[in-house]
Amino acid sequence: QEYLDFRKERSGMLLSRRNQLLLEFSFWNEPQPRQGPNIYELRTYKLKPGTMIEWGNNWARAIKYRQENQEAVGGFFSQIGELYVVHHLWAYRDLQSREETRNAAWRKRGWDENVYYT
């Protein structure tokens, strides 16, 4: 009964719900707990069908440019649910740190070339 009451209360707060089962990319760091406080950015990409391998190969080369500050928390792709969906999770101390880190990546030779193909 307690669970049914919770579901009824929850339904008054939700507009929609969607589930995905994800696998992590093998080339990304394994997600680790972060000392905080941090802000987290979740980026989601919907790929064209048939491009997952090519996209992953480009990101495998590109991610090395974003590992220095340990801001790359994890990269995941959908295995069950909506397919051809990719998620990146990033951690930053604050918005200023996010801006500085992202701008620094664009100044690194090779980052732009790899990202261009994704």
Side-chain angles (χ1 to χ4, degrees), residues 2-19:
E2 184 178 339
Y3 177 71
L4 294 175
D5 292 342
F6 167 74
R7 282 185 54 186
K8 184 176 180 182
E9 181 181 346
R10 181 188 66 181
S11 69
M13 296 182 267
L14 293 178
L15 292 176
S16 67
R17 177 182 164 171
R18 182 175 53 150
N19 289 343

Side-chain angles (χ1 to χ4, degrees), residues 4-104:
L4 294 175
D5 292 342
F6 167 74
R7 282 185 54 186
K8 184 176 180 182
E9 181 181 346
R10 181 188 66 181
S11 69
M13 296 182 267
L14 293 178
L15 292 176
S16 67
R17 177 182 164 171
R18 182 175 53 150
N19 289 343
Q20 286 182 293
L21 295 180
L22 306 171
L23 292 175
E24 64 183 313
F25 284 106
S26 61
F27 55 80
W28 208 288
N29 292 340
E30 184 173 330
Q32 299 292 323
R34 307 286 166 146
Q35 292 203 355
N38 292 301
I39 61 168
Y40 291 89
E41 177 178 7
L42 177 64
R43 300 182 71 117
T44 301
Y45 302 88
K46 292 185 178 185
L47 305 182
K48 294 178 182 177
T51 63
M52 179 69 76
I53 291 173
E54 179 184 0
W55 189 92
N57 288 338
N58 283 297
W59 259 101
R61 289 188 294 275
I63 194 64
K64 66 183 177 184
Y65 297 99
R66 297 290 302 272
Q67 299 289 7
E68 293 173 7
N69 296 330
Q70 298 298 311
E71 75 269 12
V73 176
F76 311 94
F77 61 95
S78 57
Q79 182 70 12
I80 296 176
E82 185 178 3
L83 299 179
Y84 304 106
V85 176
V86 174
H87 302 281
H88 293 175
L89 185 60
W90 307 88
Y92 304 98
R93 284 189 318 275
D94 51 39
L95 290 175
Q96 182 66 35
S97 169
R98 177 187 179 272
E99 181 178 359
E100 290 168 2
T101 300
R102 290 173 55 84
N103 288 341

